[in-house]
Amino acid sequence: MMESSGGTHLNTSAVTSKVGIARIFQAAFGCATFSLVAHRGGFSVAYGTFCMSVWCFCFAITIFIIICEFTLFHRCLTISWGNFTAAFAMLATLMTLTAAVIYPLYIPFSCHSSGCEVRDFRISASVFAGLLFFAYAMEVFFTRAKPGQVTNYMATVSGLLKIVQAFVACIIFGALVNGSQYNKYAATQWCVAVYSFCFAVTVVVVVLSVTGRTAMMKCPFERFVVIYTFLAVLMYVSAAVIWPVFCFDRKYGSPHRPYQCSRGSCPWDSQVVIAVFTYINLVLYIVDLAYSQRIRFVSHP
Protein backbone atom coordinates (compact mmCIF):
# COMPACT_ATOMS: atom_id res chain seq x y z
CA MET A 1 0.00 0.00 0.00
CA MET A 2 1.31 3.46 -0.93
CA GLU A 3 0.79 6.35 1.43
CA SER A 4 0.28 9.95 0.38
CA SER A 5 3.28 12.15 1.09
CA GLY A 6 1.00 15.13 1.60
CA GLY A 7 2.66 17.15 -1.13
CA THR A 8 2.76 17.47 -4.88
CA HIS A 9 5.38 15.85 -7.05
CA LEU A 10 5.26 18.50 -9.79
CA ASN A 11 6.09 22.17 -9.41
CA THR A 12 3.65 24.05 -11.62
CA SER A 13 5.20 27.41 -10.69
CA ALA A 14 8.23 26.34 -12.74
CA VAL A 15 6.20 27.15 -15.87
CA THR A 16 3.65 29.68 -14.54
CA SER A 17 5.89 32.15 -12.68
CA LYS A 18 7.56 35.09 -14.38
CA VAL A 19 10.86 33.26 -14.53
CA GLY A 20 9.15 30.09 -15.73
CA ILE A 21 7.35 31.92 -18.53
CA ALA A 22 10.64 33.54 -19.55
CA ARG A 23 12.21 30.08 -19.79
CA ILE A 24 9.33 28.80 -21.90
CA PHE A 25 9.95 31.68 -24.30
CA GLN A 26 13.67 30.87 -24.27
CA ALA A 27 12.99 27.29 -25.29
CA ALA A 28 10.48 28.35 -27.97
CA PHE A 29 12.66 31.09 -29.47
CA GLY A 30 15.76 28.91 -29.29
CA CYS A 31 14.03 26.03 -31.06
CA ALA A 32 12.66 28.39 -33.72
CA THR A 33 16.06 29.98 -34.28
CA PHE A 34 18.15 26.88 -34.85
CA SER A 35 15.31 25.19 -36.77
CA LEU A 36 15.14 28.06 -39.25
CA VAL A 37 18.92 28.05 -39.64
CA ALA A 38 19.14 24.27 -40.00
CA HIS A 39 16.26 24.10 -42.48
CA ARG A 40 17.21 26.75 -45.03
CA GLY A 41 19.13 29.56 -43.32
CA GLY A 42 22.51 27.85 -43.43
CA PHE A 43 25.50 28.02 -41.12
CA SER A 44 28.36 26.74 -43.26
CA VAL A 45 30.98 29.36 -42.35
CA ALA A 46 32.82 29.31 -39.00
CA TYR A 47 30.78 32.17 -37.55
CA GLY A 48 27.53 30.46 -38.51
CA THR A 49 28.67 27.23 -36.86
CA PHE A 50 29.50 29.15 -33.68
CA CYS A 51 26.03 30.73 -33.63
CA MET A 52 24.36 27.36 -34.20
CA SER A 53 26.39 25.84 -31.35
CA VAL A 54 25.33 28.67 -29.02
CA TRP A 55 21.63 28.25 -29.80
CA CYS A 56 21.71 24.47 -29.43
CA PHE A 57 23.69 24.61 -26.17
CA CYS A 58 21.41 27.22 -24.59
CA PHE A 59 18.29 25.35 -25.72
CA ALA A 60 19.54 22.06 -24.22
CA ILE A 61 20.43 23.59 -20.84
CA THR A 62 17.17 25.56 -20.70
CA ILE A 63 15.12 22.39 -21.31
CA PHE A 64 17.16 20.65 -18.61
CA ILE A 65 16.42 23.46 -16.13
CA ILE A 66 12.69 23.49 -16.94
CA ILE A 67 12.42 19.71 -16.49
CA CYS A 68 14.40 19.75 -13.25
CA GLU A 69 12.32 22.52 -11.71
CA PHE A 70 8.98 21.14 -12.94
CA THR A 71 9.73 17.66 -11.56
CA LEU A 72 11.66 18.97 -8.53
CA PHE A 73 14.57 16.81 -9.64
CA HIS A 74 17.00 19.64 -8.88
CA ARG A 75 16.56 18.83 -5.18
CA CYS A 76 18.42 15.58 -5.82
CA LEU A 77 21.42 17.35 -7.32
CA THR A 78 24.49 18.19 -5.25
CA ILE A 79 24.96 21.68 -6.67
CA SER A 80 23.73 25.08 -5.59
CA TRP A 81 20.74 25.27 -7.93
CA GLY A 82 20.11 28.99 -7.45
CA ASN A 83 23.72 29.81 -8.27
CA PHE A 84 23.68 27.47 -11.26
CA THR A 85 20.54 28.95 -12.85
CA ALA A 86 21.68 32.54 -12.20
CA ALA A 87 25.11 31.88 -13.70
CA PHE A 88 23.67 30.12 -16.74
CA ALA A 89 21.11 32.87 -17.38
CA MET A 90 23.86 35.50 -17.44
CA LEU A 91 26.13 33.35 -19.63
CA ALA A 92 23.28 32.57 -22.03
CA THR A 93 22.42 36.27 -22.25
CA LEU A 94 25.98 37.10 -23.33
CA MET A 95 26.25 34.15 -25.71
CA THR A 96 22.91 34.77 -27.42
CA LEU A 97 23.68 38.49 -27.71
CA THR A 98 26.96 37.61 -29.44
CA ALA A 99 25.21 35.17 -31.78
CA ALA A 100 22.42 37.66 -32.53
CA VAL A 101 25.04 40.21 -33.61
CA ILE A 102 27.38 37.85 -35.47
CA TYR A 103 24.85 35.90 -37.53
CA PRO A 104 23.39 38.81 -39.53
CA LEU A 105 26.85 40.40 -39.90
CA TYR A 106 28.71 37.44 -41.36
CA ILE A 107 25.93 35.48 -43.10
CA PRO A 108 25.02 36.95 -46.54
CA PHE A 109 21.42 38.08 -47.00
CA SER A 110 21.47 38.45 -50.78
CA CYS A 111 18.95 36.72 -53.03
CA HIS A 112 20.02 33.86 -55.30
CA SER A 113 18.94 33.12 -58.84
CA SER A 114 16.46 30.56 -57.52
CA GLY A 115 14.71 33.15 -55.34
CA CYS A 116 14.87 34.87 -51.96
CA GLU A 117 13.65 32.01 -49.77
CA VAL A 118 17.06 31.48 -48.13
CA ARG A 119 17.35 35.19 -47.39
CA ASP A 120 13.88 35.19 -45.79
CA PHE A 121 14.82 32.26 -43.56
CA ARG A 122 17.98 34.07 -42.47
CA ILE A 123 16.07 37.25 -41.68
CA SER A 124 13.54 35.25 -39.64
CA ALA A 125 16.34 33.45 -37.80
CA SER A 126 17.98 36.79 -36.98
CA VAL A 127 14.70 38.13 -35.56
CA PHE A 128 14.19 35.08 -33.36
CA ALA A 129 17.85 35.26 -32.27
CA GLY A 130 17.22 38.79 -31.01
CA LEU A 131 14.06 37.68 -29.20
CA LEU A 132 16.00 34.82 -27.63
CA PHE A 133 18.54 37.26 -26.21
CA PHE A 134 15.76 39.39 -24.68
CA ALA A 135 14.17 36.27 -23.13
CA TYR A 136 17.40 35.40 -21.33
CA ALA A 137 17.95 39.04 -20.34
CA MET A 138 14.48 39.07 -18.78
CA GLU A 139 15.37 36.06 -16.62
CA VAL A 140 18.49 37.86 -15.40
CA PHE A 141 16.32 40.90 -14.62
CA PHE A 142 13.76 38.82 -12.71
CA THR A 143 16.27 36.77 -10.67
CA ARG A 144 18.87 39.42 -9.88
CA ALA A 145 19.39 40.25 -6.22
CA LYS A 146 17.39 43.18 -4.92
CA PRO A 147 18.99 45.77 -2.59
CA GLY A 148 19.28 44.37 0.94
CA GLN A 149 18.14 40.90 -0.11
CA VAL A 150 19.99 37.81 1.15
CA THR A 151 20.41 35.59 -1.89
CA ASN A 152 22.74 33.33 -3.84
CA TYR A 153 26.06 34.92 -4.74
CA MET A 154 25.68 34.42 -8.50
CA ALA A 155 22.43 36.42 -8.43
CA THR A 156 24.19 39.47 -7.00
CA VAL A 157 25.76 42.19 -9.12
CA SER A 158 29.20 40.88 -8.16
CA GLY A 159 28.27 37.33 -9.17
CA LEU A 160 26.78 38.38 -12.49
CA LEU A 161 29.83 40.52 -13.20
CA LYS A 162 32.04 37.46 -12.70
CA ILE A 163 30.33 35.82 -15.69
CA VAL A 164 30.76 38.97 -17.79
CA GLN A 165 34.44 39.27 -16.80
CA ALA A 166 35.14 35.66 -17.81
CA PHE A 167 33.26 36.18 -21.09
CA VAL A 168 35.25 39.33 -21.90
CA ALA A 169 38.47 37.46 -21.07
CA CYS A 170 37.50 34.78 -23.61
CA ILE A 171 37.19 37.51 -26.25
CA ILE A 172 40.65 38.75 -25.28
CA PHE A 173 42.07 35.22 -25.57
CA GLY A 174 40.48 34.85 -28.99
CA ALA A 175 42.19 38.04 -30.15
CA LEU A 176 45.50 36.97 -28.57
CA VAL A 177 45.70 33.76 -30.61
CA ASN A 178 44.69 35.59 -33.78
CA GLY A 179 48.19 36.83 -34.62
CA SER A 180 48.41 39.51 -31.92
CA GLN A 181 52.21 39.07 -31.58
CA TYR A 182 51.91 39.15 -27.79
CA ASN A 183 55.19 37.21 -27.40
CA LYS A 184 57.20 40.03 -28.99
CA TYR A 185 57.94 41.75 -25.66
CA ALA A 186 58.15 40.60 -22.06
CA ALA A 187 55.77 43.40 -21.10
CA THR A 188 52.99 42.12 -23.37
CA GLN A 189 53.59 38.61 -22.04
CA TRP A 190 52.94 40.03 -18.57
CA CYS A 191 49.59 41.28 -19.86
CA VAL A 192 48.75 37.76 -21.04
CA ALA A 193 49.66 36.48 -17.57
CA VAL A 194 47.27 39.06 -16.08
CA TYR A 195 44.41 37.99 -18.34
CA SER A 196 45.07 34.30 -17.65
CA PHE A 197 45.38 34.63 -13.86
CA CYS A 198 42.26 36.76 -13.47
CA PHE A 199 40.27 34.49 -15.76
CA ALA A 200 41.35 31.36 -13.88
CA VAL A 201 40.49 32.76 -10.44
CA THR A 202 37.18 34.14 -11.70
CA VAL A 203 36.25 30.69 -13.02
CA VAL A 204 37.24 29.16 -9.66
CA VAL A 205 34.93 31.62 -7.86
CA VAL A 206 32.05 30.72 -10.18
CA VAL A 207 32.66 26.97 -9.86
CA LEU A 208 32.86 27.13 -6.06
CA SER A 209 29.57 29.06 -5.98
CA VAL A 210 27.74 26.77 -8.40
CA THR A 211 28.94 23.58 -6.71
CA GLY A 212 28.14 24.97 -3.24
CA ARG A 213 31.69 24.43 -2.01
CA THR A 214 32.43 27.96 -0.76
CA ALA A 215 32.43 26.74 2.86
CA MET A 216 35.51 24.61 2.09
CA MET A 217 37.70 27.70 2.00
CA LYS A 218 39.81 28.54 5.04
CA CYS A 219 38.81 32.21 4.93
CA PRO A 220 35.31 33.65 4.50
CA PHE A 221 34.28 33.49 0.86
CA GLU A 222 33.14 37.11 0.68
CA ARG A 223 36.50 38.28 2.03
CA PHE A 224 38.33 36.18 -0.54
CA VAL A 225 36.20 37.71 -3.32
CA VAL A 226 36.97 41.26 -2.19
CA ILE A 227 40.72 40.63 -1.87
CA TYR A 228 40.91 38.90 -5.25
CA THR A 229 38.84 41.61 -6.97
CA PHE A 230 41.11 44.31 -5.54
CA LEU A 231 44.16 42.41 -6.81
CA ALA A 232 42.51 41.98 -10.22
CA VAL A 233 41.91 45.74 -10.44
CA LEU A 234 45.60 46.44 -9.78
CA MET A 235 46.72 43.85 -12.32
CA TYR A 236 44.32 45.10 -14.99
CA VAL A 237 45.48 48.68 -14.38
CA SER A 238 49.02 47.57 -15.20
CA ALA A 239 47.81 45.75 -18.34
CA ALA A 240 45.72 48.76 -19.39
CA VAL A 241 48.88 50.89 -19.28
CA ILE A 242 51.40 48.41 -20.67
CA TRP A 243 49.47 46.91 -23.60
CA PRO A 244 48.74 50.17 -25.49
CA VAL A 245 52.29 51.43 -24.95
CA PHE A 246 53.97 48.33 -26.35
CA CYS A 247 51.50 47.95 -29.20
CA PHE A 248 50.74 51.49 -30.38
CA ASP A 249 53.75 53.60 -29.36
CA ARG A 250 56.06 54.33 -32.31
CA LYS A 251 59.04 52.96 -30.39
CA TYR A 252 57.51 49.48 -30.09
CA GLY A 253 54.60 49.27 -32.50
CA SER A 254 52.45 51.42 -34.76
CA PRO A 255 49.84 54.04 -33.79
CA HIS A 256 48.12 53.54 -37.16
CA ARG A 257 46.85 50.48 -38.95
CA PRO A 258 49.48 49.28 -41.47
CA TYR A 259 48.21 49.72 -45.01
CA GLN A 260 49.44 46.27 -46.04
CA CYS A 261 47.31 44.51 -43.41
CA SER A 262 44.58 42.35 -44.89
CA ARG A 263 41.12 42.19 -43.39
CA GLY A 264 40.75 39.37 -40.87
CA SER A 265 44.47 38.64 -40.46
CA CYS A 266 46.02 41.87 -39.21
CA PRO A 267 47.92 41.81 -35.89
CA TRP A 268 47.14 45.50 -35.35
CA ASP A 269 43.38 44.76 -35.41
CA SER A 270 43.79 42.07 -32.76
CA GLN A 271 45.85 44.43 -30.63
CA VAL A 272 43.09 47.05 -30.78
CA VAL A 273 40.47 44.49 -29.76
CA ILE A 274 42.63 43.41 -26.82
CA ALA A 275 43.20 47.03 -25.72
CA VAL A 276 39.48 47.87 -25.88
CA PHE A 277 38.36 44.80 -23.94
CA THR A 278 41.16 45.27 -21.41
CA TYR A 279 39.63 48.63 -20.49
CA ILE A 280 36.15 47.11 -20.48
CA ASN A 281 37.24 44.39 -18.04
CA LEU A 282 39.06 46.95 -15.91
CA VAL A 283 35.82 48.91 -15.53
CA LEU A 284 33.94 45.69 -14.75
CA TYR A 285 36.41 44.75 -12.00
CA ILE A 286 36.22 48.25 -10.49
CA VAL A 287 32.41 48.07 -10.39
CA ASP A 288 32.68 44.55 -9.01
CA LEU A 289 34.97 45.76 -6.23
CA ALA A 290 32.51 48.48 -5.29
CA TYR A 291 29.60 46.03 -5.03
CA SER A 292 31.43 43.03 -3.54
CA GLN A 293 32.18 44.94 -0.32
CA ARG A 294 28.52 45.10 0.66
CA ILE A 295 26.92 41.92 -0.68
CA ARG A 296 24.99 39.45 1.45
CA PHE A 297 24.42 35.99 0.04
CA VAL A 298 23.88 32.34 0.91
CA SER A 299 25.99 29.47 -0.40
CA HIS A 300 23.13 27.05 -0.98
CA PRO A 301 19.59 27.40 -2.38
Side-chain angles (χ1 to χ4, degrees):
M1 174 182 287
M2 297 184 63
E3 297 181 358
S4 173
S5 62
T8 59
H9 297 286
L10 296 178
N11 177 26
T12 56
S13 65
V15 293
T16 58
S17 64
K18 292 187 296 184
V19 175
I21 293 173
R23 288 172 179 160
I24 295 297
F25 278 119
Q26 292 164 11
F29 292 151
C31 182
T33 303
F34 69 70
S35 296
L36 288 168
V37 173
H39 182 57
R40 290 298 300 274
F43 58 99
S44 56
V45 298
Y47 293 108
T49 303
F50 166 78
C51 295
M52 191 66 164
S53 301
V54 166
W55 296 323
C56 291
F57 168 77
C58 292
F59 174 78
I61 301 299
T62 299
I63 292 297
F64 171 75
I65 291 173
I66 292 174
I67 292 175
C68 285
E69 294 218 342
F70 186 67
T71 62
L72 301 178
F73 179 73
H74 67 281
R75 295 180 180 177
C76 303
L77 302 178
T78 58
I79 63 174
S80 177
W81 186 253
N83 280 319
F84 170 73
T85 54
F88 169 71
M90 188 70 247
L91 177 62
T93 299
L94 297 171
M95 294 177 69
T96 53
L97 172 62
T98 304
V101 172
I102 288 178
Y103 188 77
L105 282 179
Y106 290 93
I107 302 298
F109 282 80
S110 57
C111 291
H112 301 284
S113 57
S114 58
C116 296
E117 186 178 5
V118 173
R119 182 203 64 180
D120 295 340
F121 270 88
R122 290 174 177 174
I123 292 175
S124 300
S126 299
V127 171
F128 276 105
L131 293 174
L132 179 62
F133 156 69
F134 281 111
Y136 280 111
M138 288 306 298
E139 180 179 351
V140 174
F141 177 78
F142 290 144
T143 59
R144 78 193 191 286
K146 310 302 187 294
Q149 179 184 8
V150 180
T151 185
N152 297 289
Y153 172 69
M154 295 309 302
T156 65
V157 173
S158 180
L160 296 174
L161 284 175
K162 289 291 186 294
I163 302 296
V164 184
Q165 292 158 6
F167 189 82
V168 170
C170 289
I171 298 176
I172 293 175
F173 292 142
L176 282 170
V177 300
N178 190 29
S180 64
Q181 299 178 347
Y182 66 87
N183 55 354
K184 196 173 181 179
Y185 301 105
T188 52
Q189 292 178 26
W190 159 256
C191 295
V192 176
V194 169
Y195 306 141
S196 302
F197 172 80
C198 293
F199 173 77
V201 179
T202 297
V203 171
V204 169
V205 170
V206 173
V207 170
L208 287 175
S209 299
V210 171
T211 57
R213 299 291 187 270
T214 56
M216 296 175 57
M217 302 187 65
K218 298 297 183 181
C219 66
F221 181 67
E222 55 269 34
R223 182 178 301 172
F224 169 77
V225 170
V226 172
I227 293 174
Y228 154 64
T229 307
F230 177 70
L231 179 62
V233 169
L234 296 180
M235 296 179 71
Y236 259 89
V237 166
S238 68
V241 173
I242 292 173
W243 185 268
V245 170
F246 281 84
C247 290
F248 308 120
D249 187 86
R250 294 185 185 276
K251 183 178 179 181
Y252 306 102
S254 173
H256 306 290
R257 189 179 191 274
Y259 69 91
Q260 71 272 19
C261 266
S262 59
R263 184 175 179 267
S265 59
C266 182
W268 194 87
D269 293 343
S270 297
Q271 292 167 0
V272 170
V273 171
I274 294 167
V276 170
F277 282 97
T278 296
Y279 283 103
I280 290 175
N281 238 4
L282 173 59
V283 173
L284 291 174
Y285 276 108
I286 292 174
V287 175
D288 187 3
L289 181 62
Y291 274 95
S292 61
Q293 297 184 73
R294 50 181 180 171
I295 58 174
R296 301 171 63 203
F297 63 92
V298 294
S299 301
H300 300 281

